[in-house]
Amino acid sequence: MEKPVEDVDTVSSARGRHVQGSVPQDSWMKRVFGFEKRDLTSWEHLVCLLNRPTDPAALGTFRFLFGLLMAVDITQERGLSHLDYKYLDGAPVCRFPLFNFLEPLPLDWMYLVYVVMFLGAVGIMMGCFYRFSCFMFVSCYWYVFFLDKTAWNNHSYLYGLIGFQLTLMDANRYWSIDGLWNAKKKNAHVPLWNYTIIRAQIFIVYFFAGIKKLDSDWVGGYSMQYLAHHWLFDPFKLILPVEMVNLLVVHGGGLILDLTAGYLLFFDATRPFAMVFVSYFHCMNSQLFSIGMFAYTMLATSPLFCYPDWPRRFFGGFPAALRAVLPPTEPAPQSSASCVYRETPPSTADGQRSPSDSRPLKPGRRHKFATLFTLLYLAEQLFLPYSHFITQGYNNWTNGLYGYSWDMMVHSRSHQHVKITYRDGKTGDIGYLNPGVFTQSRRWKDHGDMLKQYATCLSRNLVHYNVTDPQIFFDIWVSINERFQQRIFDPRVDIVTADWSPFRPNPWLMPLLVDLSPWRTKFQEIEGSLDNQTEVVFIADFPGLHLENYVSKDLGNTSVQVLQGQLSVEIVEENTNYTLLPGDQMKLPAGAYHKVYTVSDQPSCYMYIYVNTTEAALQKNFTKLFELQERIRNGTETEPVPPELQPLVSVAEGKDPGVNVTDPVLRIFLRRQQRMQDVKKHREAPLIERLHRFTVKKYYMIRRSFLMTAIAMRNLMVGLPPLEQLTQEVAYANMKEPQITPDEPLKEEGGHLEL
């Protein structure tokens, strides 16, 4: 039998005794939902329900875990370990704050902001100066969050919400330093709304993520196709083909879990199964995606759906010698002014309440305000994911800003072509910029508000390069969820002077060609009919526009074929035009520019088919070298090995081939083989070695965070040292473990990345 709990809430079902005594028989609604129907029949009853005294143990344990995870997150995803790269003083960097008046502080002061945020997270974890610690963490966190929209995602937004919620809660009533200093706070009841609001928040995260996955792209298996090839899904591939793993496991399983996780965690009967599947889901996500502490934070929220006294029962089974450092298990919680208690029989002979009994028996102003806040907050959280009709300027192919809609992993994008053109407003001279110049982010390619900020920043910077009144044009080609590559913004519009408002639709956003989505099935058939050396890119364009492209000399066999619409292909050097109709195919000259015009009334669809002849020839040589190497190892090679290929003999005999490898193809072949061996060794390393690598990596990251922070704090207190000293200090902070394998330095294989 499960130990009875002292109180319950609106998310966990009710069972067992209550604070003021046992109820002989609870109604069906009480057993399932944790409250009676009459608790919802009036405002007074609702206030009493949401302020019902509840065991603080589960909330205090979550507070500790959340503070710990946020302290780790600050050095990782918040960027403390590389803060100097992100906020370099004096660098002409284009930034993307939510509000244009927001600017980062000088670098050393930004380090101070992170120090305050880190101390706040530690204070939350320890329950020390709890309210002030929450304020330190939340204020700095949201400042950093609003500074950079390019770093926004759903889980970073969730961290800020939970931090805000904890600021208003009594989460320091259990396992906290504040409880040691203040006897009234130690092990005191917390009102039910403390649990209700955070559990409802997690329910919204799960359920709304499932609602967003009802999108046809997700249901059809197009959103995350690449995930099915990850090694984590290898067990499923033993019984299902990759296509079915993608459709049923990745997309179908993700949809079902998100839609049902909140409900399954809600009820006693299904909670054990939900805990298993949700934990497995988040552990997989921690390996599939670079999402920092999100998976572990969601794991920490799952026990909140259990009975509030679960830590007492769980840690009560540990040896007595360990209980000094573990959460307390005794005594029962004491009363708190934050809660509303039921009337109890008089405790004195004359029928009066005991003078020491100061428990509130009727809701006061604070209890009513807490109830009103809970209702308004939850209403706002239910409204925000569908508030995009207000902030229409932030709507692109996907709606809204990036983070509060819970549309996690619903959209995948690939960029095929990005061109930035500037024109001197005075002379008319035209030039081109490298995509991403003056910025460290790539996210501006997909969001009109960021593109406007980027263009404005570029126009300011180009003035310093003798460009007067610069006009900026962007030609960005994007494929979303395996569709055609198409333009996302109008390349004819000067974005510097273009109109943009957060409350009006973006007039220079090109529509997503959803009518062409059925072509994705045809894409798979075409790709399946090609050999391994042939690549294909699917393009869709609008009437009256054209694509200017260059065919590299390495792509010696490139052609364009029309799928829909009518094209006019211009070979620039020849100054000739060719008209193509559906089904027509034309070979394009290598090493030359061409332009593809859409001349039909409807959008055109076409595809580039190409073979990298240089890579194909290289692979052919690799095959011959590999076969020769195998014959040498097997002793079946009868012909003498040419002198330039003698290193193959050394490798076959297990010797170092040396550095005098004269043949360039052989040099690349040996490097590639070495790299493959290192990757295999890395993947097949024993668990202890993997843990060692992980620990060393985190150590050097935390080490750099600490040293660079110490340098910044010293600079603020006593001023900057001489430049030579500062350079040496930064070099010492940047020191890393030598990346050397037993066989060969990894830096020798860097050339492989340039192939």
Side-chain angles (χ1 to χ4, degrees):
M1 291 291 291
E2 188 179 25
K3 180 181 176 181
V5 297
E6 188 143 330
D7 229 41
V8 291
D9 51 59
T10 56
V11 178
S12 288
S13 59
R15 190 188 300 165
R17 62 187 174 85
H18 296 274
V19 177
Q20 285 79 22
S22 299
V23 178
Q25 286 187 348
D26 288 332
S27 67
W28 173 87
M29 189 171 183
K30 180 88 171 185
R31 291 194 304 271
V32 175
F33 294 103
F35 56 87
E36 300 283 2
K37 184 178 179 180
R38 65 181 180 84
D39 291 330
L40 305 178
T41 57
S42 69
W43 169 253
E44 193 83 8
H45 289 160
L46 181 62
V47 173
C48 292
L49 171 65
L50 290 179
N51 289 275
R52 192 168 63 189
T54 311
D55 196 310
L59 186 62
T61 304
F62 172 74
R63 182 214 73 232
F64 179 89
L65 294 175
F66 179 76
L68 173 63
L69 292 171
M70 290 303 99
V72 176
D73 177 81
I74 288 169
T75 65
Q76 296 187 153
E77 196 169 2
R78 294 319 113 201
L80 179 59
S81 61
H82 55 274
L83 201 63
D84 50 324
Y85 296 106
K86 190 172 184 179
Y87 298 110
L88 190 62
D89 287 341
V93 177
C94 297
R95 305 191 186 278
F96 305 90
L98 177 60
F99 307 108
N100 289 328
F101 64 82
L102 281 178
E103 292 186 359
L105 300 173
L107 178 60
D108 290 337
W109 288 97
M110 287 302 300
Y111 271 103
L112 180 60
V113 170
Y114 273 71
V115 168
V116 173
M117 182 164 52
F118 179 81
L119 293 177
V122 174
I124 292 174
M125 177 183 72
M126 303 301 296
C128 181
F129 300 108
Y130 174 69
R131 303 284 184 201
F132 184 64
S133 295
C134 286
F135 176 77
M136 290 168 59
F137 173 77
V138 170
S139 58
C140 294
Y141 185 93
W142 283 105
Y143 168 68
V144 172
F145 186 78
F146 287 147
L147 268 182
D148 186 13
K149 290 183 292 185
T150 66
W152 284 20
N153 49 44
N154 290 277
H155 61 266
S156 295
Y157 170 64
L158 178 64
Y159 297 161
L161 292 180
I162 294 177
F164 170 70
Q165 294 168 14
L166 289 176
T167 305
L168 304 177
M169 294 179 182
D170 296 332
N172 62 336
R173 299 303 194 254
Y174 180 79
W175 200 23
S176 69
I177 293 178
D178 287 348
L180 299 178
W181 295 343
N182 189 333
K184 292 183 178 180
K185 294 181 179 179
K186 184 176 182 179
N187 200 28
H189 282 129
V190 297
L192 179 58
W193 69 265
N194 283 197
Y195 283 95
T196 301
I197 200 168
I198 196 168
R199 289 165 168 172
Q201 182 71 72
I202 302 305
F203 179 90
I204 288 172
V205 172
Y206 280 122
F207 186 68
F208 275 53
I211 293 293
K212 299 291 183 174
K213 287 182 174 63
L214 291 174
D215 179 84
S216 60
D217 285 357
W218 184 276
V219 175
Y222 294 107
S223 296
M224 293 282 128
Q225 276 190 350
Y226 65 92
L227 285 185
H229 300 280
H230 197 281
W231 62 267
L232 279 173
F233 296 97
D234 286 349
F236 299 101
K237 297 174 195 173
L238 297 176
I239 57 176
L240 294 172
V242 175
E243 293 77 10
M244 298 307 294
V245 171
N246 169 64
L247 185 62
L248 299 180
V249 180
V250 176
H251 290 87
L255 171 63
I256 293 173
L257 187 138
D258 279 337
L259 283 176
T260 61
Y263 293 103
L264 296 178
L265 288 169
F266 189 103
F267 298 105
D268 289 350
T270 56
R271 190 177 302 121
F273 303 99
M275 295 286 283
V276 172
F277 288 114
V278 165
S279 299
Y280 179 70
F281 174 73
H282 291 303
C283 289
M284 287 186 67
N285 284 344
S286 69
Q287 301 299 310
L288 288 170
F289 308 109
S290 299
I291 51 176
M293 296 292 105
F294 178 54
Y296 309 107
T297 303
M298 293 303 290
L299 287 172
T301 64
S302 296
L304 283 171
F305 288 84
C306 300
Y307 288 110
D309 68 339
W310 74 262
R312 301 182 190 276
R313 291 178 279 120
F314 178 76
F315 293 108
F318 281 72
L322 298 177
R323 293 184 184 177
V325 295
L326 294 176
T329 58
E330 298 292 344
Q334 63 173 326
S335 60
S336 168
S338 300
C339 306
V340 177
Y341 294 81
R342 296 178 182 175
E343 290 282 357
T344 55
S347 54
T348 60
D350 57 0
Q352 301 295 320
R353 293 178 63 192
S354 170
S356 62
D357 188 4
S358 59
R359 298 180 298 179
L361 301 181
K362 293 184 178 181
R365 184 177 301 175
R366 65 183 297 181
H367 305 112
K368 296 177 181 178
F369 177 80
T371 302
L372 181 62
F373 166 76
T374 301
L375 298 177
L376 291 177
Y377 178 84
L378 295 181
E380 175 257 354
Q381 284 297 302
L382 293 171
F383 170 75
L384 269 182
Y386 294 97
S387 63
H388 310 307
F389 65 93
I390 298 176
T391 55
Q392 297 184 65
Y394 294 102
N395 297 344
N396 298 284
W397 287 350
T398 57
N399 284 333
L401 286 167
Y402 349 95
Y404 63 80
S405 297
W406 312 120
D407 50 352
M408 293 175 280
M409 303 302 173
V410 178
H411 306 104
S412 60
R413 297 177 176 87
S414 63
H415 299 83
Q416 185 69 26
H417 178 76
V418 179
K419 183 172 72 172
I420 305 177
T421 306
Y422 69 86
R423 179 189 296 142
D424 191 304
K426 183 177 181 180
T427 65
D429 293 341
I430 293 178
Y432 302 94
L433 299 174
N434 288 328
V437 65
F438 297 122
T439 183
Q440 300 170 334
S441 172
R442 296 176 294 177
R443 209 165 176 181
W444 52 268
K445 301 174 185 178
D446 301 308
H447 303 281
D449 58 303
M450 290 189 190
L451 198 71
K452 178 67 176 179
Q453 291 176 306
Y454 188 38
T456 304
C457 176
L458 289 178
S459 67
R460 290 196 302 263
N461 289 333
L462 286 177
V463 172
H464 303 296
Y465 294 86
N466 299 321
V467 180
T468 307
D469 297 329
Q471 301 169 347
I472 311 292
F473 305 89
F474 293 89
D475 194 12
I476 303 172
W477 294 74
V478 187
S479 169
I480 185 169
N481 291 347
E482 309 298 328
R483 288 182 174 85
F484 282 101
Q485 290 280 341
Q486 67 157 96
R487 288 182 166 96
I488 184 172
F489 302 111
D490 193 332
R492 300 163 294 189
V493 175
D494 172 21
I495 305 299
V496 178
T497 59
D499 180 52
W500 182 85
S501 168
F503 306 111
R504 294 194 304 270
N506 189 342
W508 31 273
L509 173 72
M510 306 295 282
L512 178 64
L513 298 173
V514 293
D515 292 341
L516 302 179
S517 298
W519 275 95
R520 289 180 291 191
T521 304
K522 186 67 174 178
F523 293 169
Q524 297 173 353
E525 297 176 5
I526 295 174
E527 290 172 339
S529 65
L530 302 176
D531 57 50
N532 293 332
Q533 295 179 346
T534 304
E535 301 289 340
V536 61
V537 178
F538 300 98
I539 306 290
D541 203 2
F542 295 90
L545 297 179
H546 73 275
L547 169 64
E548 183 178 12
N549 212 345
Y550 176 80
V551 178
S552 171
K553 292 183 179 180
D554 290 330
L555 308 180
N557 188 13
T558 301
S559 62
V560 59
Q561 180 175 341
V562 183
L563 301 174
Q564 177 179 303
Q566 184 175 344
L567 301 180
S568 177
V569 180
E570 176 188 354
I571 308 301
V572 177
E573 291 184 358
E574 301 176 2
N575 197 23
T576 55
N577 290 72
Y578 302 88
T579 300
L580 301 181
L581 299 176
D584 292 347
Q585 185 171 358
M586 174 184 173
K587 187 172 182 180
L588 300 171
Y593 281 94
H594 67 272
K595 297 180 181 179
V596 182
Y597 296 85
T598 297
V599 295
S600 54
D601 295 333
Q602 300 297 324
S604 64
C605 306
Y606 55 97
M607 61 181 177
Y608 282 102
I609 305 173
Y610 62 94
V611 176
N612 190 326
T613 52
T614 302
E615 178 67 19
L618 193 62
Q619 290 295 337
K620 185 176 181 180
N621 288 329
F622 283 174
T623 302
K624 293 181 179 179
L625 289 172
F626 181 77
E627 292 173 352
L628 175 60
Q629 187 181 50
E630 289 299 304
R631 291 197 299 271
I632 294 174
R633 285 176 176 169
N634 299 334
T636 58
E637 178 59 32
T638 57
E639 300 292 332
V641 179
E644 65 271 15
L645 299 182
Q646 283 297 322
L648 281 178
V649 180
S650 301
V651 172
E653 295 175 354
K655 300 178 182 178
D656 187 352
V659 296
N660 297 321
V661 182
T662 58
D663 188 279
V665 175
L666 178 61
R667 187 186 306 117
I668 297 173
F669 173 75
L670 293 177
R671 285 179 176 175
R672 183 172 291 189
Q673 279 204 323
Q674 181 64 48
R675 180 64 179 172
M676 292 171 62
Q677 292 175 5
D678 291 335
V679 170
K680 182 179 180 181
K681 183 185 299 184
H682 183 88
R683 290 179 176 175
E684 298 178 356
L687 179 61
I688 294 179
E689 184 178 335
R690 294 185 182 185
L691 289 175
H692 176 263
R693 286 200 307 259
F694 175 82
T695 304
V696 169
K697 178 181 177 181
K698 297 303 178 184
Y699 164 75
Y700 279 98
M701 182 186 65
I702 296 174
R703 174 184 179 274
R704 188 180 195 279
S705 301
F706 173 80
L707 292 177
M708 293 299 295
T709 303
I711 293 171
M713 296 303 97
R714 187 275 317 277
N715 294 344
L716 289 176
M717 289 186 290
V718 301
L720 286 169
L723 182 60
E724 181 179 356
Q725 177 185 341
L726 186 61
T727 303
Q728 292 176 351
E729 292 172 349
V730 174
Y732 179 71
N734 288 334
M735 185 180 66
K736 295 182 180 180
E737 182 187 36
Q739 300 292 319
I740 299 179
T741 64
D743 303 305
E744 182 182 353
L746 287 178
K747 64 181 180 180
E748 288 292 328
E749 301 166 19
H752 169 63
L753 301 178
E754 301 172 2
L755 288 178

